[in-house]
Amino acid sequence: MRKYVIMGVQGSGKGTQSELLCADLGLVHISVGDIFRWHVQNHTKLGAQVRRTMKAGELVGDDLVESVVRQRLDQHDWNFGFIIDGFPRNGRQAEFFMESYDIDGVVHLELPDAEVRRRVLSRRLCPGCGMDYNLIADRPEQEGRCDICGTQLVVREDDTPEALAARLRDYHEKTRPVLELFRRKEVVYDIDARASADEVQKEIRKALHLPTS
């Protein structure tokens, strides 16, 4: 059983790389952000709380995040292991996680802030079916329209320049120190995320000593 954490600033490709890893290793991708977005899109009580927080460009509180992560992992549908994306984001969450689970590796996707801004501000979301697009690498066939359902694409509420600036500040101040906690166990693998998705995936697999094909 393999248990991994993938870390990196917004737009570094955590979701894409997680899905590629899971595709043939039988791992379960647990995205905390996707869990919260599901609640927002389905107008749950939790979703309303998360929406207010995301709109302000802030991070969801520790108690709520830990509760959601614990509930998700307690489902035990990860027979071959998991890769968790979007958690932990600060020291307290890291301590909670390390006390509860033995981690086999932490993949850290490194990306300069300028490239983060370029990628994130190019993202678009379909409010109809939830499909994600990126105007740099994954443009819709019809300008501004979802290829799947034809709905007009929108900018995610947390992808404004102001919200992104707040998230970058939070990342550098709170999340990067988490890496130092993980480094004490010598399980952190730093990966340059500026290359293509396939190249980044190859580097991740080499670092984790996993099959590359």
Side-chain angles (χ1 to χ4, degrees):
M1 182 179 293
R2 300 182 175 104
K3 298 184 288 296
Y4 301 120
V5 172
I6 189 164
M7 297 182 65
V9 71
Q10 193 95 9
S12 58
K14 297 187 299 295
T16 298
Q17 297 304 325
S18 296
E19 292 295 348
L20 289 171
L21 268 181
C22 291
D24 62 356
L25 294 175
L27 305 179
V28 172
H29 176 206
I30 299 175
S31 169
V32 176
D34 285 351
I35 293 172
F36 285 140
R37 278 188 285 275
W38 183 91
H39 281 280
V40 170
Q41 291 170 358
N42 287 274
H43 307 288
T44 68
K45 183 177 180 180
L46 172 60
Q49 181 179 352
V50 171
R51 183 172 183 171
R52 288 193 298 270
T53 303
M54 292 170 65
K55 192 172 183 179
E58 299 173 355
L59 297 179
V60 179
D62 290 338
D63 290 340
L64 183 56
V65 174
E66 290 170 15
S67 173
V68 167
V69 170
R70 187 182 292 109
Q71 289 176 19
R72 178 63 187 85
L73 291 173
D74 282 349
Q75 293 178 25
H76 290 290
D77 57 345
W78 34 279
N79 296 329
F80 296 100
F82 61 77
I83 180 164
I84 191 162
D85 159 13
F87 182 89
R89 286 182 170 172
N90 60 41
R92 170 178 156 174
Q93 292 176 8
E95 295 288 356
F96 153 78
F97 200 50
M98 287 189 287
E99 288 172 2
S100 305
Y101 302 94
D102 292 322
I103 303 302
D104 297 303
V106 178
V107 176
H108 173 223
L109 300 177
E110 297 185 295
L111 197 67
D113 286 0
E115 179 64 10
V116 172
R117 294 187 188 95
R118 188 178 79 93
R119 292 186 182 187
V120 169
L121 299 181
S122 297
R123 297 194 304 196
R124 297 295 183 271
L125 173 70
C126 174
C129 66
M131 188 73 175
D132 283 312
Y133 293 87
N134 189 293
L135 301 185
I136 299 171
D138 186 27
R139 301 180 69 90
E141 293 181 6
Q142 182 181 351
E143 187 72 24
R145 293 281 178 182
C146 177
D147 293 339
I148 306 300
C149 65
T151 302
Q152 182 77 33
L153 301 179
V154 299
V155 176
R156 282 180 8 191
E157 289 183 347
D158 56 335
D159 277 353
T160 64
E162 296 77 17
L164 176 58
R167 288 203 305 278
L168 281 171
R169 183 172 59 251
D170 266 324
Y171 179 78
H172 292 304
E173 291 178 357
K174 298 177 182 178
T175 307
R176 288 191 68 90
V178 172
L179 289 167
E180 301 312 313
L181 289 174
F182 281 130
R183 287 188 202 281
R184 295 175 190 171
K185 291 195 171 187
E186 300 180 352
V187 294
V188 178
Y189 304 96
D190 297 310
I191 306 293
D192 187 342
R194 291 175 294 180
S196 69
D198 287 343
E199 288 300 318
V200 172
Q201 181 68 192
K202 287 179 183 177
E203 293 304 314
I204 291 173
R205 294 193 179 214
K206 286 179 185 176
L208 298 177
H209 305 290
L210 297 173
T212 56
S213 62

